[in-house]
Amino acid sequence: MKTVFKLFRIFFRLGLFTFGGGFAMIPLIEEEIIKKNSMLREDQFFDIVAFTQSLPGSLAVNMSIFIGYHIYGVPGALTSAIAVAIPPFSVILLIATFFIRFMDIPLVQQAFRGIRVAVLVLILLALKRLAQKVSWNVYKMILVAGIIAAISVFGVHPGFAILISAALGYFVFQPMEEKEG
Amino acid sequence: MLKLLLIFLQVGIFSFGGGYAAIPFIEQLLIVRNEWMAYQEFVDIIAIAQMSPGPIAVNSATFVGYNLKSFLGALVATFGVLLLPSIVSITLARYFERFKKSKYIRGLLKGLRPAVIGLIATAEISIGRTAFVGYSILPIVKNVAIALIVFVFLDIMDQHPIAAIVLAGILGMLFY
């Protein structure tokens, strides 16, 4: 039980001080869980980071679940997931409550005209980082173009695109790249 | 409310690769298919989600839920976006040692990475259209200038995203 409380305290803090999602949490986890409390080894942590990146959902929450599970089974996983999500949930609620009134201020409106452009650049750079992780070939490029067309022109459900692409990766790309070595 | 839950269950289970991967799903399911929100509002929410502590997917779910159906909406959307991925994670954590180096997982990823790129690119095109299309020349020039400055600040000077949003806010106040 003591471990559960400790996990809650640690992950609550991680949730509160992690700005910018999963990757920003990595150095904090190293400090709190590995160095200060020795609840996990560095190599175990790296395996978790590598693996959780391929899972659906928030990287920060998934990492918390894996670490929590490693330390204290299912109760540990649930505790870590809930603890890491409570601070952001509360902070956003607080912001959302005041947001509409705040947006009436002309200077704030002007600021957000600039900020909206910054969001576009942030998404563009996220795309660039993702693209650097892919070993590109002509089929994958066709897949990207096909998805853009399928969704924006034909209104295909984006989840359908995910399912088709997972199947392509499994049945086509993986065997193809294995053959090429 | 049920519809809100169903939408965020989908956002959760399909967003492979964290934060930005949720954006195309929220965009498609909430704006394009249901018109529950305007693009501008959504982009503002992404900016705030990026600047607040915590995962972008969770933050934007909370915010969108709150805007649509107040506190209960925030709770339902956040719960929805976390539920299915958490079940997947807890299940896989149990068999982690066996799954860790599985070539099946790597196979799935080979298809998913380009897919996520295609999806985010689609959302980026739609959002970009709202920032650059349909204005007169002057605001477009101003927006291009802001975009270039922010790009250099982030990509070449390697500064933090939060600092970039603050900078863009100041530029917005100066230019408009």
Side-chain angles (χ1 to χ4, degrees), chain B residues 59-119:
Chain B
N59 289 349
S60 34
T62 309
F63 209 131
V64 170
Y66 184 86
N67 271 8
L68 291 171
K69 298 248 164 29
S70 164
F71 177 74
L72 212 55
L75 206 60
V76 166
T78 311
F79 176 76
V81 87
L82 289 176
L83 182 67
L84 296 177
S86 300
I87 293 173
V88 171
S89 277
I90 291 178
T91 314
L92 291 182
R94 179 168 293 196
Y95 305 105
F96 185 43
E97 291 307 315
R98 213 182 309 162
F99 266 106
K100 214 156 60 178
K101 295 193 164 65
S102 152
K103 72 173 191 196
Y104 303 112
I105 299 276
R106 268 183 289 150
L108 292 178
L109 271 183
K110 291 216 162 93
L112 283 177
R113 289 227 172 101
V116 170
I117 291 173
L119 289 173

